[in-house]
Amino acid sequence: FTPRLKSSGSSPEDAQATAVLLSRVTRGVLLGIGCLLVAKALGSGPSDIGVAPVAPLETLALVLGGFLVLLPLLVASAKKPAVQAMYPEIRASVQPPALIRQSCIAWAVYLWGYELLFRGFLLFELVAHWGVWPGLTVSTMLYVMAHLDKLPDETAGSLFAGFLFGAMALVTGGIWAPWLLHTLIAISTEALAARANPSIKFGSGS
């Protein structure tokens, strides 16, 4: 996306920001639609892969509890140079509220498709065929493998997160709890890293 946007006259920072937003939304939509279509081809409906109504209070309690447990780790890791070099993904030196809102929405769309793949289609289909622990273990291992190109701490953390997100999906019967928690983690990681980075004015500008 970035080279095309630059050639259209966008500044390098605007082009990079737009490319990140478009990439997240595109990947989220393609992942989500792809999972639904493959599930349908296999004879499974949306509710069979976690796109189902859940108990709202139980879901919110799990999300809040999980976030409060992880928050100290997010705060500590945000100050690491390696984390600040990668996050926020949008590298604009000035990030106004409008851009931050767009980034949050793009994260939500991307992670909905992402969670539908790992904690929806893969987890629920594997559990249906192999049982809870084998399904949870295999889906988590696949999730860890998807993080091998990330920072070492993030890759290691994906093992714990994979089991946590998977357990939340199985307990509630849907992908909504892991999706909400994953989105909160992504947004918080970016916000904390940006605020700890003196070269980025986060929440400033028009």
Side-chain angles (χ1 to χ4, degrees):
F1 288 120
T2 304
R4 292 183 181 179
L5 292 168
K6 285 182 179 179
S7 65
S8 68
S10 299
S11 69
E13 283 195 349
D14 288 345
Q16 193 269 339
T18 303
V20 169
L21 297 174
L22 288 174
S23 176
R24 285 184 199 159
V25 171
T26 301
R27 286 182 291 166
V29 170
L30 291 177
L31 280 173
I33 293 176
C35 288
L36 293 172
L37 291 177
V38 173
K40 184 177 180 180
L42 295 175
S44 299
S47 61
D48 297 318
I49 60 171
V51 186
V54 296
L57 293 181
E58 178 186 38
T59 298
L60 290 175
L62 285 173
V63 171
L64 181 59
F67 182 68
L68 290 177
V69 169
L70 294 172
L71 184 57
L73 298 176
L74 299 178
V75 172
S77 65
K79 299 176 182 178
K80 296 181 178 180
V83 174
Q84 291 186 20
M86 181 171 288
Y87 298 107
E89 290 184 346
I90 295 175
R91 304 307 294 179
S93 56
V94 177
Q95 302 199 11
L99 179 59
I100 295 171
R101 286 193 296 270
Q102 293 168 4
S103 179
C104 291
I105 293 170
W107 269 124
V109 173
Y110 168 58
L111 290 173
W112 183 82
Y114 198 78
E115 287 301 318
L116 185 56
L117 172 60
F118 284 101
R119 257 64 64 174
F121 178 74
L122 289 174
L123 176 62
F124 282 98
E125 289 289 342
L126 288 170
V127 167
H129 289 86
W130 294 351
V132 171
W133 285 110
L136 181 58
T137 300
V138 172
S139 65
T140 298
M141 292 303 101
L142 292 172
Y143 180 63
V144 172
M145 290 175 64
H147 285 74
L148 292 178
D149 63 336
K150 303 286 186 178
L151 297 171
D153 288 353
E154 192 171 350
T155 302
S158 67
L159 179 61
F160 170 75
F163 277 105
L164 174 63
F165 293 161
M168 293 172 73
L170 294 175
V171 167
T172 60
I175 65 167
W176 309 111
W179 168 64
L180 286 171
L181 180 56
H182 203 165
T183 302
L184 279 175
I185 290 171
I187 292 172
S188 299
T189 297
E190 292 219 313
L192 291 167
R195 290 193 177 280
N197 191 332
S199 65
I200 296 177
K201 294 181 180 179
F202 192 76
S204 302
S206 57

